[in-house]
Amino acid sequence: MKFLHTSDWHLGRSFHRVNLLAAQAAFIDHLVEAVHEHGVDAVLVSGDVYDRAVPPLPAVELYDRALHRLADLGVPTVMISGNHDSARRLGVGAGLIDRAGIHLRTDPAGCADPVVLADVHGEVALYGLPYLEPALVKDEFAAEKVSHEAVLGAAMDRIRADLAGRPPGTRSVVLAHAFVTGGQASDSERDIAVGGVESVPASVFDGVDYAALGHLHGCQTVNERVRYSGSPLAYSFSEADHRKTMWLVDLGPAGEVTAERLDTPVPRPLARLRGRLEDLLADPALTAREDSWIEATLTDPVRPEDPMARLTARFAHTLSLAFDPEGREEGGVASYAQRLKGRSDQEIAEDFVTHVRGGGAADDAERDVLRGAFDEVRVQASREQRLQDRQESAR
């Protein structure tokens, strides 16, 4: 049985103020063509369909067209909600849409209710495990503690129990949206850390034949049975070296897995340039980059005059400009964005404690207080979103 594994569409997202809706529509075209060309038996979409809980109308319209086109193919689609999605909004009409072969899995309580397909070798159970916010689902799964590993492990126990009651030889696939240990992150993913622990071990998926993961934007293989498809488009310059693809997965009669990467359309390549302004403008080796989206870091000891205008005269699609002067002493003043880049909210808060104290780092008790505050803010935001969803549903 063949599956097309994709995730992290982030419909409605822009790239440094560049509207990506046309590029996302081109990806949907490519997805539909790939399903037809490769004889795919089911499409797996592992979360973050939208970029935010309340997506803009053009993104919703593109999503609607995508569902109609997939339904018209007569190929089942299993789709879960990610941490960027509003699970309730994405799941509206799930029961009705299910009749068209589009199976939305947004309710954690239904994680052990699979979509069951069959081929000449028997049945395949497809389990959709939406993003699990630990503090909100701990009671649902009777998890021992508030952590990603605890709630995901408890949900997988339910799935394994359901699978054990199915006919011998039933093959299994799980869609999940999580940060699995060993995965490589990008700048464009939203932090999902709770309780200071955001990652889960790949062993949590033991017992199933294939885990189709979403959340990390780089296509990667955690192990032969646990893979991220990555996002179909680049959403940050940290993804400049990514090869954007989908996984074409072949599940054999005994659950053996083979997988092939299918490239997705690239609207415009990315390039990260670094050096003195005059050198970048004169370097003939950069001719091939002139049509790319550009992130430029200038190293001139003194900030040049009108640098963006001069850069765009050669590199018309320059989107990001930063300065990192040569010869700056270690520990010198960097831009605010540079100092925060790649740091979690927890690390930034701990740095602030160190700063206001004049050098004394936060101790364990203070780190626990900060961690608890961030957890509470994240959980409260999720609860407020759920309340807003319910109020809008009642109108």
Side-chain angles (χ1 to χ4, degrees), residues 169-377:
T170 299
R171 290 159 290 166
S172 56
V173 174
V174 168
L175 289 76
H177 197 86
F179 190 167
V180 173
T181 304
Q184 298 298 311
S186 306
D187 291 345
S188 53
E189 295 125 8
R190 182 180 296 164
D191 179 25
I192 59 173
V194 172
V197 180
E198 62 182 10
S199 64
V200 300
S203 60
V204 77
F205 298 107
D206 286 353
V208 298
D209 295 309
Y210 184 72
L213 301 184
H215 179 57
L216 299 184
H217 288 182
C219 181
Q220 48 201 293
T221 301
V222 179
N223 61 52
E224 288 304 306
R225 297 186 181 276
V226 180
R227 298 172 187 261
Y228 284 98
S229 68
S231 59
L233 299 172
Y235 291 118
S236 72
F237 278 103
S238 67
E239 300 166 55
D241 295 329
H242 285 191
R243 175 188 165 197
K244 293 301 183 180
T245 59
M246 303 176 286
W247 283 113
L248 180 63
V249 179
D250 198 323
L251 189 64
E256 61 271 34
V257 173
T258 58
E260 173 189 355
R261 294 177 69 178
L262 303 182
D263 291 291
T264 55
V266 178
R268 192 178 297 279
L270 310 186
R272 308 179 94 170
L273 307 183
R274 181 181 180 87
R276 295 192 177 197
L277 177 59
E278 294 298 338
D279 293 339
L280 296 180
L281 296 177
D283 188 350
L286 297 180
T287 300
R289 300 298 191 184
E290 291 178 355
D291 197 43
S292 300
W293 278 323
I294 298 293
E295 177 192 69
T297 301
L298 301 183
T299 61
D300 301 71
V302 177
R303 184 173 300 208
E305 182 178 351
D306 207 7
M308 180 60 90
R310 294 166 68 187
L311 271 171
T312 54
R314 181 181 186 187
F315 306 102
H317 305 286
T318 301
L319 300 180
S320 177
L321 178 61
F323 298 91
D324 187 17
E326 298 170 355
R328 186 176 60 195
E329 292 184 5
E330 187 69 26
V333 178
S335 74
Y336 184 70
Q338 288 171 324
R339 284 184 281 123
L340 298 189
K341 188 173 183 179
R343 303 186 67 75
S344 68
D345 292 342
Q346 177 82 16
E347 291 170 326
I348 293 168
E350 291 178 15
D351 287 349
F352 177 74
V353 171
T354 301
H355 171 72
V356 297
R357 193 175 273 158
D363 59 27
D364 289 343
E366 290 167 332
R367 283 194 290 270
D368 287 343
V369 169
L370 290 171
R371 187 175 298 118
F374 283 122
D375 289 353
E376 181 59 31
V377 168

Side-chain angles (χ1 to χ4, degrees), residues 11 50 58-70:
L11 300 182
Y50 290 122
V60 177
E61 292 172 339
L62 178 56
Y63 169 74
D64 181 64
R65 293 197 300 272
L67 293 191
H68 276 83
R69 295 179 69 184
L70 289 169

